[in-house]
Amino acid sequence: MKKLFTIFGNPVSHSKSPLMHNLCFQGLDYDACYTRYRLEDGTQLRNKFFELGITGASITVPHKEHAFHACDELDEFAQKVGAVNTIVNRDGKLYGYNTDAPGFLKAIAEFPNAKKVLFLGAGGTAKATSVILRDAGYHVTLLNRSAERLESFQKEGFQTYTFDTFEAKKFDLIVNMTSAGLEDDSLPCPKEILNQVIPDALACVDVIYGKETPFLRASKEYNKPTKDGSDMLLYQGIIAFEHFTEQKFKFKEIKSLMKNAFLI
Ligand code: NDP
C-alpha cells in the first residue's frame, strides 16, 4: 500500500520538502507520496498525524517543540535538544528525531579548518546545532539580540553575549542563525559588530536559503567565502529520508536525486 508522508508547519506553502522527498520516492521506485499540511495548533499534531494515517512527517516552524512532545520515543540527540523535525510511525508509536543539527554539521564540513564558530542568534535552531557542534569538537560562542534566550545556553556552559556586552575576538566561521533577512531586509546584529568579526573569519554561513540575505551581502563586501542554508536543508532532508525508509537506501543515492529539487 502506498505510504503517505507530510510536512507540518505554519506557513508551509513555501517548503521545498515535498519536492525533495517526492523526487526520491519516484527515483528509487518507493511506493510513497509526500504532501504538505498547514497546522495552526501545534498541540493537535499527534491527533492529526494519526487522523491522516501517515507513516512519517517533517516538522517545521513553529511546531518543533510540539513535535517533541507528540512523540512516544525520542532518539538520544532529540531528547537532549528538545526539538523534533522528523517523526516516523512504527506500529502505532511515534519516534522523533532532529535532523536539522546533523544536517548543519555536514554542511559546514567543507570548512575543515574552522573550529571557532560565532552564532548570531540563539533560537531553536541555534540550540540544537550548538550542542552537536560542541560534541563534534567545535568551540561555539553565541551572540543574540535579547538576553532572555541566552540563559539556557549559559546553563549549558556556552560563552554568550548580547550586542551590548560583545567582545570581539577571532572566529573562523560567522553563522547567521536568526531569521533576520528571511522576510525582511535586516542584519542579524549591528553592522559595527560584523565589521569587527568578518575580516578575521575564514567564511560566513547563513541558515536561510534561496536568497542572498543582507548578512551574506555584507560578508561578500569583505570577499569572504559564503554559504547559504541550501546544503543544510538538503542534508537534513537526506537524513530524514533515511529514517522514513528505515535506512533502505544509501546516502549517496538519496543525495543524487534530492539535490535536483534545488535546480527546479
Ligand atoms: P527562532 O524563532 O527559534 O529564533 C529566532 C532567532 O532569531 C532569535 O535568536 C531571535 O532573537 C533572532 N532574530 C529574529 N529576528 C531578528 C532580527 N531582526 N535581528 C536580530 N535577531 C533576530 O527561529 P529558528 O531557530 O527556528 O530559525 C532560525 C533560522 O533558521 C530561520 O531563518 C529558519 O528559516 C532557519 N532554518 C533553516 C534550516 C535549513 O534547513 N536551512 C532549518 C531550520 C531553520 P531574539 O531572541 O532577540 O528574538
Side-chain angles (χ1 to χ4, degrees):
M1 203 170 79
K2 197 183 255 321
K3 290 180 175 167
L4 186 63
F5 296 82
T6 200
I7 178 161
F8 289 115
N10 188 17
V12 81
S13 57
H14 66 287
S15 174
K16 262 196 185 302
S17 292
L19 181 59
M20 288 161 58
H21 289 277
N22 283 324
L23 281 173
C24 292
F25 288 142
Q26 279 163 24
L28 295 165
D29 213 9
Y30 193 86
D31 194 14
C33 177
Y34 188 114
T35 65
R36 63 182 89 225
Y37 192 96
R38 190 170 70 84
L39 182 69
E40 283 183 12
D41 181 359
T43 63
Q44 291 306 305
L45 199 147
R46 187 180 167 92
N47 289 345
K48 211 27 104 179
F49 194 109
F50 287 117
E51 200 181 292
L52 294 171
I54 55 182
T55 300
S58 309
I59 296 90
T60 188
V61 178
H63 298 318
K64 290 179 192 178
E65 279 183 31
H66 288 125
F68 173 84
H69 294 294
C71 292
D72 300 297
E73 303 281 345
L74 294 159
D75 89 332
E76 202 184 326
F77 181 69
Q79 177 81 56
K80 202 160 148 183
V81 298
V84 159
N85 77 327
T86 301
I87 297 181
V88 183
N89 179 356
R90 297 193 184 100
D91 300 325
K93 267 188 163 183
L94 301 190
Y95 289 74
Y97 306 90
N98 182 304
T99 73
D100 285 330
F104 180 78
L105 182 65
K106 188 144 181 68
I108 61 163
E110 72 180 69
F111 306 112
N113 297 323
K115 287 290 163 232
K116 290 184 183 164
V117 183
L118 177 65
F119 276 10
L120 310 174
T125 310
K127 195 170 171 193
T129 45
S130 58
V131 170
I132 206 163
L133 258 62
R134 182 161 70 180
D135 290 351
Y138 290 86
H139 185 275
V140 182
T141 301
L142 296 110
L143 170 65
N144 196 51
R145 181 176 62 179
S146 72
E148 292 76 27
R149 290 209 210 226
L150 292 170
E151 281 168 22
S152 66
F153 291 87
Q154 285 155 6
K155 284 190 192 132
E156 289 289 321
F158 288 99
Q159 172 88 63
T160 68
Y161 297 101
T162 57
F163 299 160
D164 291 340
T165 63
F166 186 66
E167 292 164 18
K169 52 187 107 153
K170 185 185 176 336
F171 298 100
D172 304 322
L173 277 191
I174 316 296
V175 186
N176 178 22
M177 280 279 167
T178 74
S179 38
L182 184 63
E183 277 164 353
D184 56 25
D185 213 24
S186 61
L187 285 168
C189 67
K191 185 83 194 314
E192 300 77 61
I193 293 184
L194 293 182
N195 290 342
Q196 289 176 322
V197 292
I198 293 178
D200 283 341
L202 299 174
C204 298
V205 178
D206 208 313
V207 291
I208 295 171
Y209 58 88
K211 66 180 284 196
E212 188 175 64
T213 58
F215 169 69
L216 288 187
R217 269 203 302 279
S219 310
K220 282 182 181 166
E221 284 170 18
Y222 286 97
N223 295 317
K224 293 291 167 183
T226 58
K227 181 174 181 65
D228 79 353
S230 301
D231 277 352
M232 176 184 181
L233 181 70
L234 172 65
Y235 290 130
Q236 67 74 30
I238 297 171
I239 302 165
F241 192 89
E242 290 179 324
H243 290 304
F244 289 158
T245 55
E246 306 296 352
Q247 322 292 327
K248 196 171 185 297
F249 303 101
K250 292 198 174 67
F251 190 94
K252 261 190 176 169
E253 58 183 336
I254 304 169
K255 184 178 175 183
S256 71
L257 291 161
M258 200 175 269
K259 68 178 172 32
N260 293 326
F262 295 83
L263 305 174
I264 296 171

